[in-house]
Amino acid sequence: MLDELGDWRKTHYTKDITPDLAGKEVILGGWVRNFRDLGGLKFISLQDKYGERQITIKKGVISDEIFEKSKVSYQYCIMIKGIVKAFKDAPGGVEIIPSEIKILNTTPDKLPIDMTGETVSELDLRLNNRALDLRSLKNQAIFEIRGELLRSIRKFLFERNFTEITTPKIIASATEGGTELFPIIYFEKEAFLTQSAQLYKEQLSGVYERVFEISDCFRAEKSRTKRHICEIFTLDVEIAFSPMEDVLKILEEMVHNAIKDITENQMSALKYLKVDKQTVIPEIPFPRYKYEEIIALINKRFSFDIEFGEDISTEAYRKLGKELPGYYYITHWPMSIKTFYIMPSKNPKYSESFDLQKGMLELTSGGTRVHNKEQLIKALEEKGLNHLAFTSHLNAFDYGMPPHAGFGLGIDRWLTVLCGLDDIREVVMYPRTPDRLTP
Ligand code: AMO
């Protein structure tokens, strides 16, 4: 028989239970992370969204009825009412001596994955049981850092006069080239899931001047790597009356500031993930290298043969990442491998574009945009795209579009780096890959 919630309400979260509350009665609720039964003495690690506290159940101290009732198993959902007692060897320096226990829900005898933290189950198995897996202390740490990162980014941008925008995810035509689109049926028409907020953020920079969006984008890439997923979470930024140089400055300041906030506010999560020592606030300005310098470096140092106009292969990035493990920019990519909305440099062989790298990993790409309509139409045609498919976007350029520049940053990739992890799926609550559509 399960207990009912009735009129019980939590008085605290685990994190709020400190030795200062010694002698006070509290009501906690959560899940049984671990338990030990030593006959006349039982311990339950009760976990909630913020952490855990020890419940100590001693025969003779509490009623026989409650003692009997405290037969729990892993991840039972329980609530307890009890008195806080200082105990320096337990989490938070306290234990709770219960006077009542409610068992709100039970679990099967054997859980599909280890939830005690003693072993780590295989990632795919964990993802199959994600709602359970996300309760693990490791995942708590990852998603606390994610929360801090998003708070920090928003705060940083709001303090600098940015407006948060929301743009459509159902779109009529490609923004980043045609190959990576997910088609959908939109009533009787074909439509697509957006690959990026690109075109809308550009239009809105002509309204709100400094805009950002943090949202999902969809990439139909069949890349089965540890860096690629099909539903990505990106930060898109666009700044009017500014060229690329201003964007480079804002982005590196934002990165510096976010890592500072994480080290200040999430040290215990960093420690749990064992990345507290390696997390250093990067110095700004970040090193800036031109694409040409980078390919020369890779060719010379690692005997590659990359020619101007070629993309840099994963293998080359892997080597480069060993040489340049920190944050750095690669700027002025060949115009021939950039999309239509990127502004060519004075010498049109190059472009006003950049990537932000962390070691081998590309976190961001961006640049100065073309804001002149005729030039944009020409650029579309040169890239083999029919400008008529972009009519509604191009219309926005009839009405005084300011010069603008911006970037798109992959939050999931960045978080993977910040948590010292290797697989991007670890940092996404419900990742979408070519092989995974559920849960
Ligand atoms: P881009 O296509 O480079 O640029 O995307 C921006 C950033 O998003 C991340 N990213 C991905 N992360 C995981 N899995 C994927 N499949 C994936 N694809 C992209 C990367 C990448 O740097 N509109 C431009 C940005 C701009 O110019 O403002 C754009 O979308 O971290």
Side-chain angles (χ1 to χ4, degrees), residues 174-208:
T175 54
E176 306 290 328
T179 54
E180 298 165 5
L181 279 170
F182 282 112
I184 58 164
I185 310 292
Y186 191 69
F187 303 106
E188 280 84 43
K189 279 194 240 131
E190 187 184 49
F192 304 95
L193 295 179
T194 189
Q195 300 156 302
S196 134
Q198 184 65 36
L199 305 186
Y200 290 100
K201 70 173 172 175
E202 284 194 50
Q203 293 183 22
L204 292 174
S205 76
V207 183
Y208 304 108

Side-chain angles (χ1 to χ4, degrees), residues 29-32 73 75-79 102-107:
W31 298 271
V32 176
S73 190
Q75 297 299 315
Y76 271 30
C77 177
I78 64 170
M79 287 182 95
K102 284 194 186 218
I103 299 195
L104 299 174
N105 230 327
T106 58
T107 54

Side-chain angles (χ1 to χ4, degrees), residues 123-328:
L123 180 56
D124 260 303
L125 188 60
R126 287 196 282 120
L127 293 175
N128 289 343
N129 297 281
R130 193 60 161 164
L132 177 62
D133 177 48
L134 286 171
R135 276 189 213 145
S136 72
L137 299 183
K138 176 181 170 183
N139 278 320
Q140 272 190 349
I142 294 170
F143 291 97
E144 280 295 321
I145 294 174
R146 181 181 190 268
E148 183 70 36
L149 180 62
L150 296 176
R151 269 193 299 279
S152 172
I153 291 171
R154 281 207 167 86
K155 185 162 180 288
F156 178 90
L157 294 171
F158 283 137
E159 281 169 357
R160 285 161 185 77
N161 294 315
F162 280 83
T163 298
E164 184 163 7
I165 56 169
T166 307
T167 63
K169 304 302 149 213
I170 301 176
I171 54 157
S173 58
T175 54
E176 306 290 328
T179 54
E180 298 165 5
L181 279 170
F182 282 112
I184 58 164
I185 310 292
Y186 191 69
F187 303 106
E188 280 84 43
K189 279 194 240 131
E190 187 184 49
F192 304 95
L193 295 179
T194 189
Q195 300 156 302
S196 134
Q198 184 65 36
L199 305 186
Y200 290 100
K201 70 173 172 175
E202 284 194 50
Q203 293 183 22
L204 292 174
S205 76
V207 183
Y208 304 108
E209 305 186 32
R210 304 182 132 216
V211 296
F212 78 95
E213 176 165 21
I214 301 179
S215 73
D216 287 4
C217 304
F218 304 88
R219 303 282 169 116
E221 284 176 87
K222 278 220 172 112
S223 317
R224 290 178 174 81
T225 78
K226 292 179 173 180
R227 304 175 305 281
H228 289 90
I229 40 179
C230 298
E231 182 169 356
I232 62 176
F233 197 55
T234 59
L235 165 67
D236 273 285
V237 164
E238 205 63 30
I239 311 175
F241 306 104
S242 275
M244 175 173 96
E245 284 67 35
D246 299 7
V247 174
L248 296 177
K249 280 199 198 107
I250 286 205
L251 175 57
E252 67 197 359
E253 268 176 44
M254 190 194 78
V255 169
H256 172 95
N257 188 69
I259 297 174
K260 184 164 167 283
D261 282 345
I262 290 169
T263 53
E264 281 173 10
N265 303 324
Q266 293 298 333
M267 200 27 104
S268 59
L270 293 174
K271 278 199 176 124
Y272 192 88
L273 297 172
K274 300 193 173 70
V275 289
D276 49 314
K277 300 230 164 59
Q278 76 192 56
T279 305
V280 283
I281 304 166
E283 268 180 44
I284 50 177
F286 295 158
R288 289 151 165 71
Y289 302 96
K290 294 205 160 110
Y291 161 89
E292 251 178 350
E293 291 175 82
I294 285 288
I295 59 168
L297 186 151
I298 297 171
N299 288 347
K300 187 157 169 239
R301 194 123 176 109
F302 307 111
S303 310
F304 275 73
D305 198 14
I306 308 170
E307 284 182 26
F308 185 90
E310 278 178 36
D311 240 324
I312 300 171
S313 67
T314 307
E315 206 28 56
Y317 271 128
R318 214 180 289 283
K319 294 256 163 47
L320 182 65
K322 295 220 162 74
E323 188 84 6
L324 303 172
Y327 290 90
Y328 60 96

